[in-house]
Amino acid sequence: MPVKNRFAELLPEITAWRRDLHENPEILFETHRTSAIVADKLKEFGCDEIVTGIGRTGVVGVIKGKTNTSGKVIGLRADMDALPIHEQTGLEYKSKVDGAMHACGHDGHTAMLLGAAKYLSETRNFDGTVVVIFQPAEEGGGGGREMCEDGMMDRWGIQEVYGMHNWPGLPLGSFSIRPGAFFAATDQFDITIEGKGGHAAKPHETVDSTLVAAHVVTALQSIVSRNADPVDQVVVSVTAIESSSKAFNVIAQRVHLKGTVRTMSTAMRDLAEKRLRAIAEGTAATFGAKAEVTYYRGYPVMVNHEEQTEFAAQVARSVSGACNDAPLVMGGEDFAFMLEERPGAYILVGNGDTAAVHHPEYNFADEAIPAGCSWWAEIVEQRMPAA
């Protein structure tokens, strides 16, 4: 079953929604305008229930099928938030908000799920209940976690949940997925090296925190090269170094390091944190300095469930004719919290040959909308076929 004709008809309308969202990006939980538009659209479509304020600014809509003999309830999730990036696309519908843009395609995700909700509300050609989930704060705020903590899964009796993300470099409208661990756990760290500052011409009277920091940066790379099993995936990146001194002739009293750790298993995550602390503290002590380590655990590993992944791939093949095996992704995705609460799967839809996500020249490809909307709709109609 190819792309549904109805979505080809709706493409101009859905594109207009997407471009309006693109012009008016909102960051993290500040998705007030976006959430209001989503709620208004769901009301216009005739959804059976619409609830706002889930996970602060999230929106949930309920669409009931013509029958409910199956008793099944499926959740479909899209993220709504933008990024704090200054857009450089030059598009006629470029961001009107200085320092904010939809550089990850969440405008497209929201528009596609709205399109699917419109179609499902029109046809209701399924036996069960659909819960459409519009989530804020995927970009570091943990909006998915907050929606779950607000009791979303139990409140609507969601049994399975499915998510989607556009993917630059993947052929336009094609699909890619993998079972098991898919997106990495995303942790952050801060390390403060405290030495003894002094005059740069008298290093023997100091404990040089900059020298210590340089050794710490180098030694941290041994977590990947010497502590991790070579077949495990782990990234340790020091992304910023800041000295307490700005002068050319002063040895700094302290240096601040920060960075990120990405892992694909709980065991590797635990090991990386343990070794990072030991290396920083031990290296500092070797030079007579002290290291204070703060480690923040962010999103967990996003794990696709085996049976739901095979079903999602089957649906993708019915829409586009094929579904490729996706590589592991060391980026994070807070849909992980929803997949920890319910079985489900997360799939990639091709955005074609565009700039990468999180790039100031990125733009969601509107031509991918019919494929994405069709996948959402087919998930429902194939999982809960009309009685």
Side-chain angles (χ1 to χ4, degrees):
M1 185 178 298
V3 168
K4 290 181 176 294
N5 291 334
R6 179 60 175 140
F7 293 121
E9 297 169 0
L10 288 172
L11 180 57
E13 183 178 6
I14 299 172
T15 297
W17 302 340
R18 203 281 294 183
R19 294 185 178 187
D20 174 72
L21 295 174
H22 189 90
E23 282 186 313
N24 298 277
E26 296 173 303
I27 293 170
L28 293 171
F29 290 99
E30 301 302 313
T31 57
H32 303 292
R33 179 183 184 275
T34 305
S35 298
I37 288 172
V38 166
D40 287 346
K41 292 292 182 189
L42 295 178
K43 182 178 180 181
E44 177 188 318
F45 302 158
C47 286
D48 298 285
E49 182 183 0
I50 303 157
V51 179
T52 60
I54 305 298
R56 301 200 223 177
T57 48
V59 181
V60 171
V62 177
I63 307 168
K64 297 178 180 179
K66 290 179 180 177
T67 56
N68 190 25
T69 61
S70 72
K72 291 182 178 179
V73 183
I74 289 178
L76 309 177
R77 173 269 201 178
D79 37 19
M80 300 186 291
D81 59 317
L83 282 158
I85 295 175
H86 181 72
E87 182 167 350
Q88 297 177 25
T89 61
L91 295 165
E92 61 180 15
Y93 54 87
K94 68 181 180 182
S95 172
K96 296 177 180 177
V97 181
D98 188 43
M101 75 169 287
H102 272 292
C104 204
H106 297 186
D107 50 345
H109 303 165
T110 298
M112 287 191 293
L113 188 53
L114 281 174
K118 180 178 177 74
Y119 167 84
L120 292 168
S121 297
E122 288 174 349
T123 60
R124 300 182 185 260
N125 190 34
F126 56 94
D127 179 44
T129 302
V130 179
V131 180
V132 288
I133 302 163
F134 295 87
Q135 179 207 307
E138 189 281 325
E139 297 289 358
R145 175 180 52 218
E146 297 219 10
M147 294 189 85
C148 288
E149 288 178 350
D150 274 356
M152 176 182 69
M153 296 297 185
D154 291 336
R155 178 172 176 177
W156 284 283
I158 296 169
Q159 298 163 2
E160 295 181 352
V161 64
Y162 295 87
M164 181 196 303
H165 202 293
N166 77 95
W167 208 249
L170 194 63
L172 191 64
S174 66
F175 293 92
S176 183
I177 198 169
R178 69 179 296 121
F182 192 176
F183 279 59
T186 58
D187 299 335
Q188 300 173 24
F189 60 85
D190 283 286
I191 303 171
T192 299
I193 307 294
E194 187 80 20
K196 180 183 177 183
H199 199 291
K202 298 180 179 181
H204 57 290
E205 296 179 359
T206 73
V207 176
D208 189 344
S209 57
T210 303
L211 176 65
V212 176
H215 279 270
V216 169
V217 171
T218 301
L220 288 178
Q221 304 313 307
S222 69
I223 296 173
V224 177
S225 66
R226 288 298 179 266
N227 298 139
D229 187 316
V231 300
D232 285 339
Q233 288 79 29
V234 56
V235 173
V236 179
S237 293
V238 178
T239 56
I241 304 175
E242 184 178 10
S243 165
S244 60
S245 169
K246 306 302 179 187
F248 70 89
N249 60 347
V250 174
I251 289 176
Q253 175 75 16
R254 70 186 60 85
V255 173
H256 177 225
L257 310 175
K258 64 180 178 180
T260 185
V261 176
R262 306 297 174 102
T263 52
M264 278 291 181
S265 71
T266 300
M268 190 64 244
R269 193 181 199 185
D270 292 342
L271 176 64
E273 178 180 357
K274 179 181 177 181
R275 292 301 300 142
L276 185 141
R277 291 182 182 278
I279 289 169
E281 293 167 359
T283 302
T286 298
F287 289 89
K290 293 182 179 179
E292 180 182 337
V293 179
T294 305
Y295 197 94
Y296 309 93
R297 291 216 170 191
Y299 298 167
V301 179
M302 190 189 73
V303 180
N304 270 347
H305 296 251
E306 192 85 29
E307 193 264 330
Q308 285 74 22
T309 299
E310 177 49 42
F311 169 67
Q314 169 192 313
V315 171
R317 287 189 288 269
S318 73
V319 171
S320 69
C323 185
N324 299 315
D325 294 332
L328 291 168
V329 177
M330 298 310 288
E333 170 53 66
D334 83 338
F335 189 61
F337 293 110
M338 297 189 188
L339 289 177
E340 286 188 334
E341 294 217 356
R342 294 294 187 273
Y346 190 78
I347 200 167
L348 307 179
V349 62
N351 203 59
D353 185 17
T354 65
V357 294
H358 293 218
H359 190 282
E361 295 180 2
Y362 164 86
N363 188 38
F364 178 84
D366 293 319
E367 296 82 1
I369 288 173
C373 290
S374 294
W375 185 81
W376 287 125
E378 288 295 329
I379 284 286
V380 173
E381 292 181 348
Q382 292 189 35
R383 200 60 158 175
M384 303 185 295

